[in-house]
């Protein structure tokens, strides 16, 4: 089934990304896991059917589980993975979420609350007192705490160790959406979280060519529950996509290193550009939670948000004027993507209209800057 097997306890994450999930070394055997296309399995075994288990999915689960240090289960999108976690919350249970979550997650949580399925409370992830207040509640404490760090798209930072402490004090599970960081930069289970969720679509797979999600749990028992959610909710990814995701993860470390190097340079240059009034990037010393982030992550990552000009029209003009960075949603691919987040009607209204989110790719940084600079000069 899903696997938490590591290639070795002491290997660096760069090495684990390359070696985890490979078949046993046998003469003339393949060095890569096969793409297995079979909805059903011969009777007499442990699993029997494709929603339960598939050899290619299991290899990917071993890779992701090894990278995060837990038991991984993959789903057909990040949203499917998030919904699988929400589904283990008891009827009427309390979910405390980041006040600024990824927009579709925020919308889904609002929907679950409106239907009476859950009670929803928001916490400012940068404010420990607010986290404590919202988790403890007024008589009804949290069952699940769902935080992003950094948050999408405001790049706010939560002290994950402190949040785990508060959640565990009331018996709640702490889930961290680690999509922005990837395990190459942050491993929430090591910091005390119970659950890590990924939109594998993004930095893990890294090539903007598939949709997939993953949940990684600290406990194998919780991992069994997550497989149960896949079996009953049915959001099973294809083995072709699992193959692509494994192939993408093999280069995770070098992609993140290069994108992050580029992002550090671009963030600093954006700070100094006259058309930019604010830059949100945890790698800048001016970021309010720069220190907290540095204590729990090994780098600031590849996501930058910034305010361009004074209006939605100004920001749109910038996104429409870049020739390299592509005006499209999503993130974490080898190619730079740029978008004005409030173009989506479901984006949080506290996100400024002129906020641009930039996912920095692995292109040459001077080419990227020349492109951004000329686009900013249009306003
Ligand atoms: C932080 C974050 N979480 C979850 C998701 C949802 O993932 P998917 O698009 O794979 O369903 C996204 C997608 O943009 C995201 O950015």
């Amino acid at each position: 089934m899903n696997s938490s097997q590591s290639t070795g306890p002491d290997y660096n994450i760069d090495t684990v990304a390359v070696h985890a999930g490979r078949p046993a070394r046998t003469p003339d055997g393949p060095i890569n896991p096969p793409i297995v296309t079979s909805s059903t399995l011969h009777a007499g075994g442990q699993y029997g059917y494709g929603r339960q288990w598939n050899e290619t999915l299991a290899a990917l689960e071993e890779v992701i589980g090894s990278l995060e240090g837990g038991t991984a289960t993959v789903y057909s999108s990040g949203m499917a993975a998030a919904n699988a976690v929400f589904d283990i919350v008891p009827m009427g249970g309390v979910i405390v979420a980041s006040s600024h979550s990824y927009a579709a997650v925020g919308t889904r949580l609002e929907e679950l609350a409106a239907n009476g399925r859950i009670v929803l409370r928001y916490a400012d992830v940068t404010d420990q007192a607010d986290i404590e207040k919202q988790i403890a509640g007024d008589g009804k404490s949290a069952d699940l705490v769902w935080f992003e760090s950094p948050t999408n798209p405001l790049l706010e930072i939560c002290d994950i160790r402190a949040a785990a402490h508060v959640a565990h004090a009331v018996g709640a599970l702490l889930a961290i959406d680690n999509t922005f960081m990837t395990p190459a930069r942050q491993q929430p289970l090591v910091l005390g979280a119970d659950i890590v969720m990924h939109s594998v679509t993004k930095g893990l797979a890294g090539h903007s060519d598939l949709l997939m999600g993953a949940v990684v749990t600290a406990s194998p028992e919780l991992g069994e529950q997550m497989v149960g959610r896949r079996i009953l909710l049915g959001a099973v990814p294809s083995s072709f996509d699992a193959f692509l995701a494994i192939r993408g993860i093999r280069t995770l470390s070098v992609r993140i290193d290069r994108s992050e190097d580029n992002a550090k340079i671009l963030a600093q240059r954006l700070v100094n550009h006259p058309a930019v009034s604010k830059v949100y990037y945890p790698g800048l010393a001016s970021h309010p939670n720069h220190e907290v982030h540095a204590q729990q992550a090994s780098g600031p990552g590849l996501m930058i948000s910034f305010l361009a000009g004074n209006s939605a029209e100004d920001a749109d003009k910038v996104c429409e004027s870049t020739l390299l960075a592509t005006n499209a949603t999503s993130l974490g691919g080898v190619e730079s993507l740029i978008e004005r987040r409030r173009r989506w009607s479901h984006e949080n209204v506290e996100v400024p209209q002129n906020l641009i989110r930039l996912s920095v790719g692995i292109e040459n940084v001077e080419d990227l800057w020349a492109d951004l600079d000329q686009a900013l000069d249009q306003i």
Side-chain angles (χ1 to χ4, degrees), residues 72-115:
T73 307
V74 291
Y75 301 86
S76 52
S77 69
M79 283 308 296
N83 277 297
V85 178
F86 302 154
D87 208 57
I88 66 168
V89 174
M91 185 68 197
V94 176
I95 298 183
V96 173
S98 322
S99 18
H100 308 121
S101 296
Y102 165 60
V105 164
T107 305
R108 178 61 180 148
L109 288 171
E110 292 281 349
E111 199 175 80
L112 289 170
N115 293 341

Side-chain angles (χ1 to χ4, degrees), residues 1-24:
M1 188 160 293
N2 51 8
S3 167
S4 58
Q5 219 175 301
S6 167
T7 47
D10 298 328
Y11 290 126
N12 183 279
I13 201 98
D14 301 349
T15 307
V16 175
V18 175
H19 284 279
R22 293 193 183 272

Side-chain angles (χ1 to χ4, degrees), residues 348-360:
N348 194 305
V349 293
E350 288 174 21
V351 172
Q353 283 285 1
N354 61 335
L355 182 138
I356 291 177
R357 192 185 71 185
L358 175 66
S359 171
V360 181

Side-chain angles (χ1 to χ4, degrees), residues 245-260:
I246 293 170
R247 185 173 163 131
I249 291 172
R250 297 300 183 214
T251 56
L252 176 71
S253 294
V254 287
R255 286 187 287 104
I256 303 294
D257 284 354
R258 171 64 168 254
S259 288
E260 184 181 68

Side-chain angles (χ1 to χ4, degrees), residues 77-79 102 148 152 177 179 197 199 201-202 211-212 331:
S77 69
M79 283 308 296
Y102 165 60
E148 296 170 12
N152 180 2
D177 180 337
T179 300
M197 175 263 168
S199 169
T201 314
K202 309 293 176 355
L211 285 161
M212 201 184 291
L331 58 110

Side-chain angles (χ1 to χ4, degrees), residues 183-266:
R185 287 294 175 271
Q186 179 171 275
Q187 292 168 299
L189 299 184
V190 175
L191 300 168
D194 305 283
I195 297 171
V196 170
M197 175 263 168
H198 276 285
S199 169
V200 177
T201 314
K202 309 293 176 355
L204 276 175
H207 294 75
S208 306
D209 53 6
L210 60 90
L211 285 161
M212 201 184 291
V215 173
V216 193
T217 62
S219 95
E221 294 73 28
L222 199 48
E224 287 301 317
Q225 282 191 55
M226 298 320 306
V227 177
R229 295 304 83 204
R230 183 175 72 202
I231 294 168
L232 295 183
L233 300 176
V236 189
S238 89
S239 51
F240 290 101
D241 286 348
F243 159 76
L244 279 177
I246 293 170
R247 185 173 163 131
I249 291 172
R250 297 300 183 214
T251 56
L252 176 71
S253 294
V254 287
R255 286 187 287 104
I256 303 294
D257 284 354
R258 171 64 168 254
S259 288
E260 184 181 68
D261 285 349
N262 287 352
K264 286 178 186 167
I265 294 169
L266 296 182

Side-chain angles (χ1 to χ4, degrees), residues 98-100 123-128 131 147-163 176-178 180-181 185-186 191 280-284 286-301 303:
S98 322
S99 18
H100 308 121
D124 174 350
V125 298
T126 66
D127 179 344
Q128 189 62 19
I131 290 175
F147 284 168
E148 296 170 12
S149 187
T151 60
N152 180 2
L154 292 173
L155 281 298
E156 299 154 308
I157 304 298
C158 160
D159 182 335
I160 296 173
R161 285 188 192 88
I176 298 289
D177 180 337
N178 203 28
F180 266 32
M181 280 290 105
R185 287 294 175 271
Q186 179 171 275
L191 300 168
Y280 308 71
Y281 184 61
L284 293 171
S286 57
H287 187 288
N289 306 112
H290 173 74
E291 292 300 326
V292 176
H293 184 74
Q295 281 161 22
Q296 63 190 13
S298 57
M303 296 301 298

